[in-house]
Amino acid sequence: ERTEDAIRLIRAYHLRLAATDNPADPRLKALESFLAPYGYTLDEPIPEALIGRIEIARGCAAKVRDRFSTDGWAALGDLVKTARQMSRTARPGDDCARAMSVLVRKITGFSGLVHENMYRFSGWRFLSFGRALERADALAAMLAVFADPQAPAGSLDIAVEVADSVITHQRRYRVETSRDTVIDLLALDGDNPRSILFQIQRMRALAMALPDAVTNGRLAPLSRALVPIQSALQVAEPREITSERLIALRGEIAAASDLLTTAYLR
């Protein structure tokens, strides 16, 4: 999930670099600043840190190799191989944007193989919970920067593009992006799998299916922590979801992660 998010952000950078041929464009500077803390150096067409993250994912998967199908394991290996090959040939701009698109297709194919073919046991629930948590956190982090009123012009379009919601936005609003429409779609829409609320709802459903989710008629701490997050998002107006609120939301999501770890992973 983290790798896919980074790939989409890097693609957004190179698409705009190809269009402007101006590395000093404020949107490119904003993307550089956003990705730098994660170790991504955008003067490398395919950053070594991105390949490293894919290889870390493969290392994690190797620890539970018996849980993955042969096709899923092969798809992950192919993703690493392709990224390595492209890192030797890709050039900044349109060429790198096309390379990122190839990686997006391969990583989503791998994700589909894993999540559609894996038996629905507790391990799958933990995996799915982690994926929902990562996506919710990534969306909150991105919106706090690119939907901020002080963000450069065009930043809202970056947010919608990275969240793979361009067509959905066009169909639903039939207007250009505004902060209200972007926050409504990517933070508060319970039917959009690329929204924060959707992922919180997903986390709640998965938490209720974990062992000891209810004890003596009382919700476990994990579910109790998720209830107010979900309720607050369900009743919020877009104007209320400020950058400060999104940063605070990331803290609430992190606290839920800690509760999951405390209850099941220690």
Side-chain angles (χ1 to χ4, degrees), residues 141-263:
M142 181 181 67
L143 290 173
V145 173
F146 293 100
D148 187 87
Q150 303 305 314
S155 294
L156 292 171
D157 293 324
I158 291 175
V160 174
E161 177 187 314
V162 171
D164 198 21
S165 295
V166 173
I167 294 174
T168 305
H169 187 281
Q170 291 173 346
R171 188 188 72 246
R172 179 166 175 175
Y173 301 103
R174 300 188 183 280
V175 295
E176 293 184 356
T177 54
S178 69
R179 190 178 192 281
D180 279 358
T181 61
V182 171
I183 293 294
D184 188 47
L185 182 63
L186 302 185
L188 306 178
D189 189 333
D191 292 326
N192 180 14
R194 292 281 178 176
S195 84
I196 299 173
L197 176 56
F198 183 99
Q199 298 305 327
I200 298 298
Q201 293 174 163
R202 179 87 171 126
M203 290 160 66
R204 271 206 69 195
L206 289 163
M208 290 301 296
L210 292 173
D212 301 320
V214 179
T215 303
N216 297 324
R218 184 170 173 78
L219 292 176
L222 175 59
S223 291
R224 291 206 306 271
L226 292 171
V227 168
I229 302 175
Q230 179 181 345
S231 299
L233 291 173
Q234 285 176 324
V235 301
E237 295 291 337
R239 65 178 180 275
E240 299 170 350
I241 308 299
T242 62
S243 294
E244 293 75 17
R245 177 68 188 97
L246 288 161
I247 292 168
L249 180 59
R250 293 190 69 196
E252 295 166 9
I253 293 169
S257 176
D258 290 343
L259 289 169
L260 179 77
T261 300
T262 299

Side-chain angles (χ1 to χ4, degrees), residues 97-117:
R98 287 197 297 268
M100 290 296 113
S101 293
V102 171
L103 294 181
V104 165
R105 291 193 293 271
K106 286 182 177 288
I107 200 168
T108 52
F110 162 72
S111 181
L113 281 168
V114 170
H115 288 277
E116 293 304 316
N117 295 340

Side-chain angles (χ1 to χ4, degrees), residues 7 46 50-51 54-55 58 74-90 98-107:
I7 290 170
I46 298 183
L50 179 67
I51 298 173
I54 300 172
E55 291 179 335
R58 184 171 64 173
L76 185 54
D78 181 55
L79 179 65
V80 176
K81 179 181 177 181
T82 300
R84 279 286 177 201
Q85 290 174 337
M86 287 180 169
S87 70
R88 295 191 287 268
T89 59
R98 287 197 297 268
M100 290 296 113
S101 293
V102 171
L103 294 181
V104 165
R105 291 193 293 271
K106 286 182 177 288
I107 200 168

